[in-house]
């Protein structure tokens, strides 16, 4: 009897413990990100889809403002207080975190086989042997425009720089709309939606980027200064007070119908679809002259990594493997049109504006932002300095030539072409 009673007691205790353990076993994973615009999509689409198939694992999406993300994330990682999942910038910024052993090696993570070496390149070591972020998406640069405004003013889509400025002149003369919705207060807009948007048409995309890395070209060369000369011409079309205009101010000016053209990244599409009450279209960066080969920045933009100090590494890996799946790729690309999947499995997109952007991949040659690989590993950081100089050129506080000189001088102070392996 005693043995039977003891066994019954132990069985009951075991069941209670198991039940209690199961009940209390929910693990919460925090996702660090700069994409605060995506909070609703994560809460309504991405997180429910994952949690439905992975009971016991909860996801919290915790974004930081884009301009604050890098500094905030670095401070958290150094302090050991960062979330379990780290949203990755491409190339050097994330490679530095991996080299500091703050991001885990994901080379053998189940699901990584769904990405080509090219897709993984932005989050791999220079030799390609180790990968540390699951690729999520690339973004494409161009211009989003108010179709109603263009129709009202009889403006055709500009294909050359001359046509672009003729369109801006017509919009400005009419007075109904601010021609270009962009400010310089946050700095990065001027570089990302300005210089890196139109620049590839002048430095010939990957050819110029490779030449800069190898030392065959310098930022003082005409191919790199000319885009600044074009950017300086934007100033009269940006509207009053653009120097104090933030990124969100620019978004609001366009979606409220007060501006005709928005220098853009395709990542704006999802937000603009919910806010703009007018028809939108998109056009690629106008080429310098008719007949020129066009180039677009088709930039690997976003991936996700495992915080090497996460207390829930196994659960985090389950989430990362799911991010590497075709299910996630479909949800993400269609929930956030304008973020183009890097997964080898094709994703059918339903959004017409996203389809317009991605259609440029055929006739236009793709490149990535010139500052992101190798050239921003030292101090001063070329990416951040390009933000400053792009804003200075538009504001008129630096000439294009001076901007090129400053950037090259900063690069020369630490970078020796051919030294990177």
């Amino acid at each position: 009897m005693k043995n039977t009673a003891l066994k019954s007691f132990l069985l009951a205790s075991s069941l209670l413990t198991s039940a209690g353990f199961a009940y209390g076993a929910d693990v919460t994973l925090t996702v660090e990100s700069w994409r605060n615009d995506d909070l609703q999509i994560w809460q309504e689409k991405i997180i429910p889809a994952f949690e439905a198939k992975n009971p016991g694992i909860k996801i919290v999406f915790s974004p930081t403002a884009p301009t604050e993300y890098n500094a905030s994330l670095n401070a958290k990682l150094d302090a050991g207080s960062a979330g379990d999942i780290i949203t990755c910038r491409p190339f050097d910024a994330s490679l530095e975190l991996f080299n500091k052993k703050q991001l885990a090696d994901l080379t053998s993570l189940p699901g990584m086989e769904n990405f080509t070496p090219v897709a993984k390149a932005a989050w791999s070591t220079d030799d390609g042997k180790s990968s540390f972020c699951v690729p999520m998406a690339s973004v494409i640069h161009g211009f989003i425009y108010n179709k109603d405004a263009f129709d009202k003013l009889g403006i055709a889509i500009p294909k050359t720089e001359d046509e672009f400025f003729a369109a801006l002149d017509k919009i400005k003369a009419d007075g109904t709309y601010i021609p270009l919705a962009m400010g310089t207060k946050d700095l990065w807009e001027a570089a990302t939606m300005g210089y890196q948007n139109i620049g590839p048409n002048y430095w010939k995309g990957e050819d110029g980027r490779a030449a800069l890395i190898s030392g065959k070209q310098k930022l003082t060369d005409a191919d790199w200064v000319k885009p600044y000369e074009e950017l300086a011409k934007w100033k009269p079309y940006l509207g009053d007070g653009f120097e104090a205009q933030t990124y969100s101010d620019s978004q609001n000016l366009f979606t409220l119908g007060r501006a005709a053209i928005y220098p853009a990244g395709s990542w704006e599409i999802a937000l603009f679809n919910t806010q703009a009450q007018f028809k939108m279209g998109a056009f690629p960066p106008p080429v310098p002259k008719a007949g020129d080969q066009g180039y677009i920045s088709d930039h690997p933009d976003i991936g996700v990594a495992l915080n090497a100090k996460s207390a829930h590494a196994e659960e985090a890996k389950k989430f990362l493997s799911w991010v590497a799946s075709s299910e996630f790729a479909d949800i993400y690309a269609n929930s956030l049109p304008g973020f183009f999947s890097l997964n080898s499995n094709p994703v059918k997109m339903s959004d017409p504006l996203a389809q317009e952007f991605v259609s440029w991949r055929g006739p236009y040659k793709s490149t990535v932002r010139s500052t992101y690989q190798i050239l921003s590993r030292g101090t001063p950081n070329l990416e951040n300095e390009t933000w400053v100089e792009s804003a200075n050129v538009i504001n008129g506080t630096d000439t294009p030539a001076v901007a090129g000189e400053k950037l090259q001088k900063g690069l020369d102070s630490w970078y020796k072409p051919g030294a990177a392996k």
Side-chain angles (χ1 to χ4, degrees):
M1 285 293 293
K2 287 184 178 180
N3 286 340
T4 302
L6 180 60
K7 287 178 180 178
S8 297
F9 173 77
L10 292 173
L11 177 60
S13 297
S14 176
L15 290 171
L16 285 169
T17 301
S18 298
F21 175 78
Y23 178 78
D26 279 2
V27 166
T28 298
L29 302 176
T30 300
V31 180
E32 303 277 4
S33 176
W34 69 88
R35 288 291 306 164
N36 42 17
D37 286 344
D38 300 349
L39 181 60
Q40 186 177 357
I41 298 299
W42 275 81
Q43 291 176 338
E44 296 179 1
K45 301 279 186 72
I46 296 171
I47 292 173
F50 174 77
E51 291 182 352
K53 292 187 174 181
N54 294 274
I57 305 177
K58 302 296 182 186
I59 304 293
V60 174
F61 184 68
S62 181
T64 303
T67 52
E68 300 168 8
Y69 180 71
N70 286 21
S72 173
L73 175 64
N74 289 344
K76 288 179 182 179
L77 286 169
D78 289 343
S81 60
D84 306 274
I85 305 296
I86 308 299
T87 303
C88 303
R89 302 278 197 189
F91 295 110
D92 294 348
S94 294
L95 178 61
E96 181 180 0
L97 299 180
F98 178 69
N99 287 338
K100 290 167 66 176
K101 302 189 184 307
Q102 292 178 326
L103 302 183
D105 191 321
L106 300 180
T107 308
S108 59
L109 179 82
M112 289 296 275
E113 68 277 6
N114 293 331
F115 303 95
T116 66
V118 172
K120 292 185 284 190
W123 300 284
S124 296
T125 50
D126 290 349
D127 60 14
K129 292 181 179 179
S130 297
S131 297
F132 43 86
C133 300
V134 177
M136 289 171 68
S138 69
V139 292
I140 297 175
H141 289 289
F143 296 83
I144 298 175
Y145 68 97
N146 181 328
K147 276 188 174 181
D148 294 346
F150 271 47
D151 290 346
K152 175 186 173 184
L153 300 176
I155 297 172
I157 294 174
K159 296 181 179 179
T160 66
E161 284 286 359
D162 285 346
E163 291 174 358
F164 179 67
F165 285 105
L168 295 178
D169 285 334
K170 196 166 188 178
I171 296 164
K172 186 176 182 180
D174 173 74
T176 306
Y177 307 93
I178 296 168
L180 285 171
M182 195 182 81
T184 56
K185 180 177 175 58
D186 290 338
L187 304 181
W188 71 271
E189 284 178 88
T192 306
M193 277 93 104
Y195 189 64
Q196 296 287 359
N197 191 347
I198 66 172
N201 277 330
Y202 293 92
W203 61 69
K204 310 303 180 191
E206 286 296 280
D207 288 345
R209 192 174 75 89
L212 194 62
I213 291 171
S214 70
K216 293 178 181 177
Q217 288 187 12
K218 292 184 178 293
L219 291 162
T220 50
D221 291 348
D223 288 353
W224 298 89
V225 174
K226 182 64 176 175
Y228 275 136
E229 293 175 358
E230 295 303 312
L231 208 58
K233 297 177 186 176
W234 287 17
K235 183 176 181 178
Y237 307 105
L238 297 177
D240 295 336
F242 72 86
E243 297 93 340
Q245 185 174 309
T246 66
Y247 174 49
S248 58
D249 292 335
S250 301
Q251 292 174 311
N252 290 334
L253 280 175
F254 183 73
T255 58
L256 290 171
R258 293 174 56 194
I261 301 173
Y262 185 94
S266 58
W267 63 82
E268 306 286 5
I269 294 173
L271 179 68
F272 284 9
N273 281 345
T274 66
Q275 295 185 346
Q277 301 300 309
F278 50 85
K279 293 179 181 178
M280 293 180 289
F283 59 87
V287 294
K289 62 181 185 297
D292 285 352
Q293 171 65 54
Y295 295 81
I296 54 169
S297 176
D298 185 358
H299 192 73
D301 182 66
I302 189 167
V304 278
L306 169 62
N307 181 348
K309 292 185 178 179
S310 170
H312 308 294
E314 291 310 308
E315 293 85 355
K317 286 179 180 178
K318 284 186 179 180
F319 176 73
L320 292 170
S321 285
W322 181 73
V323 171
S325 72
S326 56
E327 179 188 7
F328 173 84
D330 183 69
I331 294 171
Y332 194 75
N334 282 292
S335 297
L336 287 164
F339 284 87
F340 304 109
S341 173
L342 292 166
N343 197 298
S344 298
N345 298 302
V347 175
K348 185 176 181 180
M349 293 177 295
S350 58
D351 185 88
L353 203 51
Q355 290 173 348
E356 175 63 35
F357 271 90
V358 83
S359 73
W360 305 337
R361 284 178 170 169
Y364 292 79
K365 291 186 177 181
S366 293
T367 185
V368 302
R369 294 175 201 154
S370 61
T371 54
Y372 268 61
Q373 187 180 34
I374 298 173
L375 300 179
S376 291
R377 293 180 184 173
T379 303
N381 180 292
L382 182 60
E383 166 67 2
N384 293 343
E385 293 300 296
T386 300
W387 293 6
V388 173
E389 288 309 315
S390 297
N392 286 349
V393 165
I394 295 172
N395 292 342
T397 56
D398 274 339
T399 66
V402 166
E405 289 167 5
K406 285 184 176 181
L407 293 174
Q408 188 61 48
K409 182 178 179 181
L411 187 61
D412 285 341
S413 71
W414 65 268
Y415 179 64
K416 308 304 175 193
K421 300 295 182 185

